[in-house]
């Protein structure tokens, strides 16, 4: 059975995108461009994980706090206990997820705007805690980079430049997206969507809404912790203010601007809204203006998000094509 034409086009698109991303460092030698892509990868993990939480109807303003917990947890395990990055990376996610379960049992009793307020307060509490404990108030410095990887044939990969980090964040980001996509398309993901559509109806048919929201919250915070670990060991420092409520607002904004109807929307939003300010960093006077214009344009003219642009273009072309067709009378002749 042949795949539909649009499915075949999607396969070709993702194949071409994969080849492009894998070969990009071969012809892009500017380290700053690679830095932007590495940064975008971290934001993609955060926005994609927040999107999973939003599929159960949760709106939080504390996601960056769990990123900070993962960053500090991974950094302190490496700096004070000498543990390998390859051990602290998954542990950062586990620490964030365990804390999410601990606080989520109380936080997730509320929802909507009240949940946003509660997580806002939690995010501020985490930042204040990181300022006064367990390191200096201005943050941790000297965080070690990932340990070298020894490959067959005597090849050793050392994380001393942008290219190794680019491939590392690419692998972690792709794996994270595939896992999150698999969850959203699974039976668990369908339960999440039922809860989002009507939590009262879902509860009436025997679905434990609080439990499943807790699961989505823990999974999302696990990946936030992973992103935090990647951030800390790439920059070799972690400052409390990097994980403030404003960072959580940005993560939420990336999701909304990209579009929340599918996982691809937050990915697009994170990449675009990371690249635009970075590319305009040299022209600081226009950086904030361009960012604001982009956000307002999407909100007012593309409320479904950037992901809806191809469908809007198709719809516009169809209307234009139909409008240019000659009118026919009842006998079949043209008028």
């Amino acid at each position: 059975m042949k795949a539909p034409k649009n499915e075949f086009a999607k396969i070709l698109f993702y194949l071409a995108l994969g080849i492009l991303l894998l070969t990009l460092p071969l012809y892009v030698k500017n380290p700053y461009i690679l830095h932007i892509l590495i940064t975008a990868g971290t934001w993609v993990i955060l926005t994609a994980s927040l999107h999973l939480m939003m599929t159960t109807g949760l709106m939080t303003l504390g996601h960056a706090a769990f990123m900070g917990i993962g960053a500090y947890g991974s950094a302190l395990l490496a700096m004070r206990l000498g543990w390998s990055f390859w051990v602290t990376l998954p542990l950062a996610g586990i620490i964030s997820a365990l804390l999410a379960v601990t606080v989520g049992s109380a936080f997730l009793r509320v929802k909507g705007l009240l949940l946003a307020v509660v997580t806002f307060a939690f995010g501020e509490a985490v930042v204040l805690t990181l300022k006064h404990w367990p390191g200096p108030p201005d943050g941790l410095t000297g965080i070690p980079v990932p340990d070298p990887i020894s490959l067959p044939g005597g090849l050793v990969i050392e994380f001393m430049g942008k290219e190794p980090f680019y491939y590392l964040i690419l692998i972690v980001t792709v794996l994270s997206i595939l896992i999150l996509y698999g969850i959203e398309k699974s039976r668990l993901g369908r339960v999440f969507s039922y809860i989002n559509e009507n939590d009262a109806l879902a509860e009436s048919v025997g679905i434990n809404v609080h439990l499943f929201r807790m699961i989505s919250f823990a999974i999302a915070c696990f990946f936030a912790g992973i992103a935090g670990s990647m951030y800390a060991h790439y920059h070799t420092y972690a400052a409390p203010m990097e994980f403030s409520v404003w960072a959580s607002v940005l993560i939420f904004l990336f999701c909304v601007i990209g579009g929340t109807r599918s996982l691809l929307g937050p990915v697009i939003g994170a990449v675009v809204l990371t690249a635009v300010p970075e590319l305009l960093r040299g022209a600081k006077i226009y950086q904030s203006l361009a960012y604001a214009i982009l956000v307002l344009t999407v909100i007012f003219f593309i409320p479904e998000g950037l992901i809806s642009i191809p469908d809007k273009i198709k719809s516009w072309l169809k209307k234009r094509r139909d409008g240019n067709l000659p009118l026919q009378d009842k006998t079949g002749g043209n008028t």
Side-chain angles (χ1 to χ4, degrees):
M1 182 177 178
K2 293 184 178 180
K5 185 177 179 180
N6 58 340
E7 291 297 325
F8 182 69
K10 286 183 180 179
I11 293 173
L12 288 179
F13 171 76
Y14 288 120
L15 181 61
L17 179 62
I19 294 173
L20 173 65
L21 293 175
L22 286 172
T23 59
L24 192 140
L26 298 178
Y27 46 85
V28 176
K29 301 299 182 181
N30 188 338
Y32 185 62
I33 299 297
L34 294 179
H35 167 74
I36 294 175
L37 294 172
I38 293 169
T39 303
T42 304
W43 286 109
V44 165
I45 297 173
L46 290 164
T47 53
S49 60
L50 180 63
H51 179 264
L52 178 73
M53 197 190 308
M54 292 173 68
T55 61
T56 61
L58 297 177
M59 185 179 74
T60 173
L61 293 178
H63 206 49
F66 291 95
M67 176 190 180
I69 291 164
Y72 267 71
S74 182
L76 291 172
L77 289 173
M79 295 172 67
R80 298 189 178 178
L81 299 181
W83 289 11
S84 168
F85 164 79
W86 307 109
V87 176
T88 65
L89 175 65
L91 284 178
I94 293 172
I95 292 169
S96 295
L98 289 176
L99 182 61
V101 171
T102 303
V103 301
S105 59
F107 290 176
L108 301 187
R109 298 292 178 183
V110 297
K111 59 182 181 179
L113 185 59
L114 188 55
L115 177 61
V117 173
V118 170
T119 52
F120 176 93
F122 173 76
E124 286 295 289
V126 168
V127 170
L128 289 174
T129 301
L130 295 180
K131 278 185 177 181
H132 297 92
W133 181 88
D138 54 348
L140 301 175
T141 58
I143 301 173
V145 298
D147 307 282
I149 301 176
S150 298
L151 299 178
L155 179 63
V156 178
I157 300 176
E158 295 186 356
F159 293 85
M160 302 303 294
K162 300 294 183 185
E163 289 186 12
F165 274 103
Y166 168 80
Y167 283 111
L168 175 61
I169 193 66
L170 178 62
I171 292 171
V172 174
T173 302
V174 171
L175 285 176
S176 300
I177 291 174
L178 289 176
I179 293 171
L180 291 168
Y181 179 79
I183 292 173
E184 290 192 14
K185 294 300 180 181
S186 67
R187 181 179 297 179
L188 179 61
R190 290 195 292 272
V191 174
F192 289 167
S193 65
Y194 297 154
I195 294 173
N196 186 32
E197 289 172 7
N198 193 324
D199 56 353
L201 179 60
E203 198 160 14
S204 69
V205 297
I207 296 176
N208 189 331
V209 173
H210 180 73
L211 174 62
F212 282 101
R213 278 182 169 157
M214 179 78 75
I215 292 172
S216 73
F217 188 55
I219 294 173
C221 292
F222 171 85
F223 284 100
I226 294 292
S229 177
M230 294 293 299
Y231 175 92
H233 290 273
Y234 167 63
H235 291 280
T236 68
Y237 77 90
M241 293 309 298
E242 297 290 332
F243 315 111
S244 66
V245 172
W246 172 239
S248 295
V249 171
L250 281 179
I251 298 169
F252 178 76
L253 190 62
F254 289 174
C255 275
V256 173
I257 297 302
T260 58
R261 70 181 186 184
S262 73
L263 184 59
L264 184 59
V267 173
I268 294 173
V271 172
V272 172
L273 293 178
T274 300
V276 170
E278 289 291 342
L279 292 174
L280 293 174
R281 186 175 292 273
K284 291 185 178 181
I285 189 173
Y286 302 111
Q287 185 184 27
S288 299
L289 178 62
Y291 194 89
I293 290 174
L294 176 61
V295 170
L296 292 174
T297 300
V298 173
I299 291 175
F300 284 106
F301 298 103
I302 321 174
E304 299 88 358
L306 296 173
I307 194 173
S308 67
I309 291 178
D311 290 338
K312 288 186 176 295
I313 293 175
K314 288 180 182 178
S315 176
W316 180 79
L317 291 175
K318 184 177 183 300
K319 288 180 179 178
R320 176 166 181 159
R321 184 178 63 249
D322 293 344
N324 289 335
L325 289 176
L327 299 176
Q328 293 186 335
D329 59 20
K330 294 181 179 181
T331 61
N334 294 338
T335 59

